[in-house]
């Protein structure tokens, strides 16, 4: 089975993920610590220890990302988020959710990806992710 049943596509989670992945913060929100200061080093150590080890991708997940890369969608920095969205898309398809509703749910991510690629628009990115999900991640 290719779909992980405990995951669902939820718009607020996607917005949070998209903002986190694509760094929509402001410059004034940067920490006051300088890179070499002891406080900055201890914070960096805490982040390193707290970060979970990345999961290995399945062949289906890698094929999904490869398909998106072949059509020119940048997924490097957002690969894990994009895979999770693809899995959520499959669950929504299984639940009978129509494509337009799915596209609305993933719009924060597709907009962010589209802004990173000059020749892509949000709708094309969304449809590419839905089709790549169907082809590679859905049963």
């Amino acid at each position: 089975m290719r779909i992980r049943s405990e995951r669902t596509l939820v718009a607020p989670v996607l917005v949070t993920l998209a903002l986190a992945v694509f760094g929509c913060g402001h410059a004034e929100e940067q920490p006051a610590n300088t890179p070499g200061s002891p406080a900055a080093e201890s914070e960096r150590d805490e982040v390193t220890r707290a970060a979970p080890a990345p999961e290995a991708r399945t062949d289906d997940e890698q094929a999904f990302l490869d398909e998106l890369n072949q059509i020119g969608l940048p997924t490097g920095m957002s690969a894990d988020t994009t895979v999770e969205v693809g899995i959520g898309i499959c669950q929504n398809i299984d639940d009978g959710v129509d494509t337009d509703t799915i596209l609305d749910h993933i719009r924060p991510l597709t907009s962010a990806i589209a802004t990173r690629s000059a020749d892509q628009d949000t709708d094309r990115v969304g449809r590419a992710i839905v089709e790549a999900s169907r082809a590679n991640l859905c049963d």
Side-chain angles (χ1 to χ4, degrees):
M1 182 165 127
R2 294 186 202 170
I3 301 172
R4 296 181 193 132
S5 61
E6 69 274 3
R7 296 184 178 139
T8 60
L9 181 63
V10 179
V13 172
L14 291 177
V15 172
T16 303
L17 288 172
L19 293 175
V21 169
F22 295 103
C24 292
H26 301 292
E28 62 268 15
E29 294 175 4
Q30 298 298 322
N33 299 328
T34 59
S37 72
E41 288 176 18
S42 67
E43 287 174 10
R44 184 173 43 242
D45 289 343
E46 287 177 27
V47 170
T48 302
R49 282 187 299 247
E55 292 181 33
R57 289 194 183 93
T58 66
D59 291 340
D60 294 331
E61 291 170 349
Q62 190 57 53
F64 167 74
L65 292 171
D66 292 344
E67 183 174 329
L68 295 177
N69 284 323
Q70 287 174 359
I71 60 172
L73 298 182
T75 59
M77 186 171 83
S78 64
D80 292 336
T81 301
T82 306
V83 167
E84 292 299 319
V85 169
I87 291 167
I89 288 169
C90 292
Q91 289 177 328
N92 276 253
I93 290 170
D94 285 348
D95 291 342
V97 178
D98 65 278
T99 301
D100 289 335
T101 301
I102 292 171
L103 291 171
D104 285 342
H105 286 194
I106 65 172
R107 191 164 314 282
L109 177 67
T110 58
S111 294
I113 292 173
T115 61
R116 295 177 53 216
S117 182
D119 60 339
Q120 304 291 338
D121 65 51
T122 300
D123 189 57
R124 182 166 186 259
V125 170
R127 292 191 183 281
I129 291 173
V130 169
E131 291 308 313
S133 297
R134 282 188 176 122
N136 298 290
L137 300 175
C138 303
D139 287 330

